[in-house]
Amino acid sequence: MQENNFRVNQHSLKTAISRVEKDKIITRGYNQRDLIEKIRYSDMIYLLLKGRLPSVKEGKIFNHVLVSFCDHGVTPPSTQTARLVASSGSPINSAVAGALLSFGHKHAGAIEQTMELFQSKVNSLYLTQDSQINNKQIASLAIDIHNDYMASNEKIPGFGHRYHDVDPRADKLMSLAIKEGFVGPHIKLALALQDLIYQKKGIRLNVDGANAAILSDLGFDPELGFGVFMIGRIPGIIAHIHEEKIDEDEFRKFCDLDDVEYYGR
């Protein structure tokens, strides 16, 4: 009889995130019982994603980021998708899933694209302990980025908004970063680019550009930055789903037969 050599690995899954014991849950080395009492929800998100608790300054700025992401109105495709799915009688998890699945290159992709741009350019610099030298390097880098994009007639991600001349969220986030002394190389690059772009086109940072700079200075990679965006957006999406179910007629449509123009055979 042929011996069966197939064996299941006793430790088939490894994780540094959490450990569950009898009457005890450990999250990133901390007893979750203690975390419930001592930290904010935004600090818990930071701990899970980064593996450590934020400093007071990091915790404040990260909380500002999450609040700025919470709701962007009814017009984004994610919100409309969630409301349309909810109107069909689907459960809340299906409507939330519909919203998350609508995120892509054209909607919500700007945060990741802008983080990739800022981080790749800042990583090309040799930053020193001398802030004046660093500031000159970043200013020169901003000019190079601006000229490259202008020469190719491309839009720099993270700038401009279809509704706002000055995105109030971006403006507030940058002023808070300056006020709280949280201005790293990525924020400096974003502000230097804003000065150049505003002079040429009257365009300023939008919320994605501001948060891309902040999250980059917090040490998040672009994929995790996109994840932070999704975490921030979910409360607003759930609010829209609930409102749709409570206030609107079921099986609501965004167009009727009279709105459809047929041009086939």
Side-chain angles (χ1 to χ4, degrees), residues 32 66 87 105 124 136 138 157 160 164 217 228-229 247 251:
Q32 204 171 106
L66 289 172
S87 77
H105 181 70
S124 71
K136 288 179 180 178
I138 291 168
H164 309 299
D217 278 339
V228 172
F229 170 84
D247 295 345
F251 201 65

Side-chain angles (χ1 to χ4, degrees), residues 136-148:
K136 288 179 180 178
Q137 288 190 76
I138 291 168
S140 178
L141 181 62
I143 293 171
D144 291 341
I145 296 170
H146 176 264
N147 291 343
D148 287 346

